[in-house]
Amino acid sequence: ALPIANDQAHVQLTRETAMALCHQPLEYLARRDVRQLQKLTGFPISRIKAAMQLIATLDPKPGRRFTTTGHHVIIPDVLVTANRDAHAAGRPWLVEINPAVLPRVRVHRFYASALRQHPAETTGLLNQRLQEARWMVRSLQQRFDTILRVAQSIVDRQRQFFDHGEVAMRPLVLREIADILGLHESTISRVTTQKYMATPRGIFELKYFFGSHVTTDAGGACSATAIRALIKQLISAEDQKKPLSDSQLSDILGQQGIVVARRTVAKYREALNIQPVKLRKVI
């Protein structure tokens, strides 16, 4: 029974230490500043670390378990699948409009027959409404044709992404697609806003495939999305006891020919919701 009693005493001591730490300025706890917490409490470092490990296991929002949150369901506008056609020339990915989003709109036959059954002098208003209805149907069809053309151009330009993932994403701007399709840049912007593409790699907004670029040592360009993916890979493979700083990440990318400043690395890391080096370090 003696080991069990010792364990219980240790657990109780850790809980009391954790409570004492929570009464200190929370920014020290957030930064895992063990030295400063030791100065304020006088506790041994090992005791503080054990209490911090306990705090890390707690739920910061305990009320969430009593609430029900609604889920936002995204219905993709475009479907991208591997092209099984052996004769597909240079297009290994098949792009098509999702049938679930196509509106089932057509002009009712009743109105067309009404025009044929009544004299011409009494059908002026009906004829006007019929033309407006047909124009709306054509406009809807043209809208989805434009979405399909834009999506196909994106897939053609970002083929390496579909083949190899985010690290192969290439720089792409709206004007590039606009020039290819002979459309205005603002049209491409509207078409790609809140329109989604379902791919074997997940569902993405069409805007996701556009991004700025960083110049490489070889004189080429690397997509910001690809750089973020590389940073994510490097951090996921790092030694958690000695995590990589932003400067070290910048140096590693530089060795691969990608010139990125430390502040740019920090910006990309924050965009990925990855904590800074001090908070990633395992105590």
Side-chain angles (χ1 to χ4, degrees):
L2 185 59
I4 296 177
N6 289 336
D7 289 342
Q8 291 177 345
H10 177 71
V11 170
Q12 182 62 29
L13 180 62
T14 302
R15 289 178 178 175
E16 293 174 357
T17 305
M19 290 295 295
L21 294 182
C22 290
H23 283 87
Q24 306 305 320
L26 290 179
E27 58 266 24
Y28 298 137
L29 192 60
R31 295 201 305 264
R32 299 182 181 179
D33 195 338
V34 178
R35 298 294 181 184
Q36 188 63 35
L37 290 171
Q38 184 188 30
K39 291 179 181 179
L40 294 173
T41 61
F43 297 147
I45 291 180
S46 59
R47 183 173 164 184
I48 293 175
K49 288 184 176 180
M52 292 176 68
Q53 287 180 340
L54 173 62
I55 294 172
T57 63
L58 303 178
D59 186 355
K61 298 179 180 179
R64 288 185 300 186
R65 70 185 71 178
F66 304 107
T67 61
T68 56
T69 57
H71 297 284
H72 179 59
V73 179
I74 295 176
I75 300 177
D77 302 270
V78 180
L79 305 177
V80 178
T81 55
N83 196 344
R84 304 300 181 185
D85 186 1
H87 301 288
R91 284 191 171 174
W93 297 98
L94 180 64
V95 183
E96 56 187 348
I97 294 293
N98 184 2
V101 301
L102 284 172
R104 296 175 176 85
V105 180
R106 61 185 178 85
V107 178
H108 202 284
R109 293 180 181 178
F110 170 79
Y111 298 101
S113 62
L115 287 175
R116 291 193 296 267
Q117 295 174 6
H118 292 80
E121 60 272 11
T122 63
T123 58
L125 184 59
L126 280 176
N127 187 56
Q128 179 182 348
R129 295 293 183 264
L130 180 61
Q131 293 300 324
E132 291 175 356
R134 288 173 173 168
W135 177 83
M136 185 184 71
V137 172
R138 286 195 299 268
S139 297
L140 287 172
Q141 183 62 48
Q142 183 179 8
R143 175 176 179 269
F144 282 98
D145 287 345
T146 302
I147 293 174
L148 182 60
R149 292 176 61 205
V150 171
Q152 182 67 67
S153 297
I154 291 173
V155 172
D156 290 343
R157 303 298 290 176
Q158 296 291 9
R159 176 177 169 180
Q160 294 300 318
F161 165 81
F162 294 94
D163 291 340
H164 306 292
E166 290 181 324
V167 293
M169 184 81 81
R170 54 154 295 180
L172 184 65
V173 294
L174 296 174
R175 178 166 294 279
E176 188 172 346
I177 298 297
D179 292 342
I180 292 172
L181 300 179
L183 299 172
H184 195 274
E185 189 173 346
S186 62
T187 302
I188 305 300
S189 179
R190 288 194 301 272
V191 167
T192 55
T193 300
Q194 295 185 352
K195 302 295 187 299
Y196 294 88
M197 176 187 293
T199 75
R201 297 189 177 276
I203 297 178
F204 304 93
E205 187 180 10
L206 296 185
K207 275 279 195 298
Y208 170 79
F209 297 96
F210 297 88
S212 57
H213 69 277
V214 173
T215 304
T216 63
D217 283 346
C222 184
S223 168
T225 302
I227 296 175
R228 286 194 292 267
L230 287 172
I231 292 173
K232 187 176 181 180
Q233 283 186 0
L234 291 171
I235 292 177
S236 63
E238 70 185 0
D239 183 354
Q240 294 185 342
K241 294 183 179 179
K242 294 181 180 180
L244 298 170
S245 66
D246 295 336
S247 296
Q248 290 173 318
L249 290 170
S250 177
D251 293 340
I252 294 173
L253 292 173
Q255 294 171 6
Q256 299 182 16
I258 304 172
V259 182
V260 186
R262 181 195 62 80
R263 284 185 293 183
T264 303
V265 171
K267 182 180 71 173
Y268 289 162
R269 174 182 54 73
E270 291 171 359
L272 293 168
N273 293 322
I274 297 176
Q275 295 177 327
V277 60
K278 288 184 178 180
L279 299 183
R280 297 201 311 273
K281 186 175 182 180
V282 174
I283 300 175

